[in-house]
């Protein structure tokens, strides 16, 4: 930017020296009737060079985003204006920033809005943990004395012992009979069942045994290192079959996925339509 503007300025100064009677710059004057006057081509060249230098400086500044001290800093995409509460409907749909009342009313009456709201209001909350300490801390914080709880993957009863003292009714299930036998010896007052976690009919039978109540909380630990596909499939099954209020899941893969995930509506680039792409906005 500085070099481009300097070229135009130096030529302009050369022409200015001639007009003020200073020593002419070679090639910028011609003699007419014994007097030195400015050469029109030199004037045209000087003006063009100055204009090119000015435009080049603007282009460089726009390209790099660099501004001098007298120019206010460029407003970030976040400050410019993506306000999540104003732009995102309660159903999760991102509405246009310029949205009329009629357009908003049409969206609220749409099948998409109704379906999203129904799913959001009927689906359970999900708490994801990785370590046993997190898993048990979540139980201590979330359980209420009147809760009915299903523990999926009760093993030998280590976490079951924590859960049992915090809720009204607890049922632990595990597919390995020897582990269930050990858990029953340790905690004779807790109901344990030998059961495959994916056996939906038997899981529903356990839920019906609680009627008129239901499983309010479901704790899932089928090995923290289990692949994420299996974990999510199991979560979806229990969400649809039991409709608990809260599901606590112990899964390393799921937690790591969530830690590196971000909703696009929360991303700074959403505020400027992706204009920050290529300038560190990703």
């Amino acid at each position: 930017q500085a070099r481009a503007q300097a070229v135009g300025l130096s030529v302009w100064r050369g022409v200015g020296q001639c007009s003020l009677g200073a020593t002419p710059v070679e090639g910028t004057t011609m003699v007419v009737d014994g007097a030195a006057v400015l050469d029109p081509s030199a004037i045209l060249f000087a003006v063009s060079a100055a204009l090119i230098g000015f435009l080049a400086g603007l282009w460089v500044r726009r390209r790099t985003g660099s501004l001098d001290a007298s120019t206010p800093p460029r407003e970030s995409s976040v400050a410019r204006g993506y306000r999540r509460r104003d732009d995102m409907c309660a159903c999760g749909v991102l509405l246009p920033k310029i949205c009329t009342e009629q357009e908003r009313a049409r969206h609220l009456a749409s099948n998409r809005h109704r379906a999203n709201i129904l799913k959001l209001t009927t689906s359970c909350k999900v708490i994801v943990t990785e370590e046993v300490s997190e898993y048990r801390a979540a139980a201590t914080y979330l359980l209420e004395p009147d809760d009915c709880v299903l523990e999926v993957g009760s093993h030998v009863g280590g976490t079951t012992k924590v859960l049992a003292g915090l809720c009204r009714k607890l049922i632990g299930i595990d597919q390995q009979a020897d582990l269930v036998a050990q858990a029953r010896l340790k905690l004779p007052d807790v109901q344990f069942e030998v059961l495959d976690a994916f056996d939906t009919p038997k899981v529903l039978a356990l839920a019906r045994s609680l009627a008129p109540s239901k499983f309010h909380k479901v704790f899932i630990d089928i090995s923290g290192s289990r692949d994420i596909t299996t974990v999510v499939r199991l979560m979806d099954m229990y969400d649809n079959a039991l409709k608990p209020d809260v599901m606590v899941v112990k899964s390393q893969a799921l937690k790591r996925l969530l830690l590196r995930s971000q909703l696009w509506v929360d991303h700074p680039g959403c505020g400027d339509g992706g204009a920050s792409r290529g300038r560190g906005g990703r």
Side-chain angles (χ1 to χ4, degrees):
Q1 177 186 355
R3 287 197 299 269
Q5 291 178 337
V7 171
L9 183 59
S10 63
V11 174
W12 186 257
R13 284 177 176 171
V15 176
Q17 286 175 351
C18 294
S19 63
L20 295 175
T23 302
V25 177
E26 184 180 356
T28 62
T29 62
M30 63 182 178
V31 178
V32 178
D33 296 331
V37 296
L38 293 174
D39 188 339
S41 62
I43 296 176
L44 180 60
F45 174 75
V47 173
S48 300
L51 181 60
I52 291 171
F54 177 74
L55 293 177
L58 287 180
W59 180 83
V60 171
R61 177 160 48 178
R62 190 181 188 88
R63 184 76 174 175
T64 61
S66 60
L67 299 171
D68 57 34
S70 63
T71 307
R74 182 176 179 178
E75 192 176 21
S76 68
S77 59
V78 175
R80 269 204 310 277
Y82 178 66
R83 296 176 296 173
R84 174 174 176 172
R85 290 184 180 178
D86 291 347
D87 298 336
M88 192 170 70
C89 177
C91 74
V93 172
L94 187 63
L95 300 174
K97 289 187 177 181
I98 302 174
C99 185
T100 66
E101 290 301 321
Q102 291 80 6
E103 291 171 332
R104 189 176 295 274
R106 280 199 299 271
H107 167 71
L108 294 177
S110 67
N111 290 333
R112 181 184 184 187
H113 175 79
R114 288 195 293 268
N116 286 354
I117 288 294
L118 179 63
K119 187 64 176 176
L120 288 171
T121 53
T122 58
S123 298
C124 69
K125 293 183 179 179
V126 177
I127 307 297
V128 180
T129 68
E130 179 181 3
E131 303 294 339
V132 173
S133 58
E134 294 178 77
Y135 190 60
R136 294 177 181 176
T140 302
Y141 183 83
L142 294 170
L143 289 184
E144 300 290 342
D146 199 41
D147 281 340
C148 294
V149 178
L150 176 65
E151 183 189 9
V152 182
S154 54
H155 203 254
V156 296
T159 298
T160 313
K161 185 177 181 180
V162 176
L163 299 173
L166 299 172
C167 60
R168 175 168 61 90
K169 174 66 175 178
L170 172 63
I171 299 177
I173 65 173
D174 201 289
Q175 66 178 347
Q176 297 187 47
D178 59 330
L179 298 180
V180 170
Q182 293 180 56
R184 285 171 176 167
L185 289 175
K186 291 181 179 180
L187 300 167
D189 295 331
V190 177
Q191 179 182 348
F192 291 97
E193 301 292 340
V194 180
L195 189 63
D196 185 343
F198 285 98
D199 192 337
T200 306
K202 290 185 178 180
V203 170
L204 288 173
L206 289 177
R208 286 193 293 270
S209 71
L210 300 176
S213 190
K214 69 168 190 175
F215 285 117
H216 302 97
K217 311 281 169 58
V218 175
F219 284 74
I220 300 176
D221 179 8
I222 55 172
S223 175
S225 59
R226 184 68 65 91
D227 65 280
I228 194 169
T229 304
T230 302
V231 173
V232 172
R233 186 160 59 93
L234 187 64
M235 291 169 58
D236 187 59
M237 190 200 89
Y238 281 96
D239 185 21
N240 292 317
L242 302 180
K243 300 190 182 304
D245 301 326
V246 179
M247 195 183 313
V248 181
V249 183
K250 181 171 168 285
S251 169
Q252 297 172 0
L254 184 57
K255 180 181 177 180
R256 290 167 186 170
L257 176 63
L258 293 174
L259 286 174
R260 66 176 188 268
S261 301
Q262 184 179 24
L263 292 175
W264 170 243
V265 295
D266 290 329
H267 192 283
C270 184
D272 57 9
S276 60
R277 183 174 178 267
R279 296 199 299 272
R282 287 178 290 180

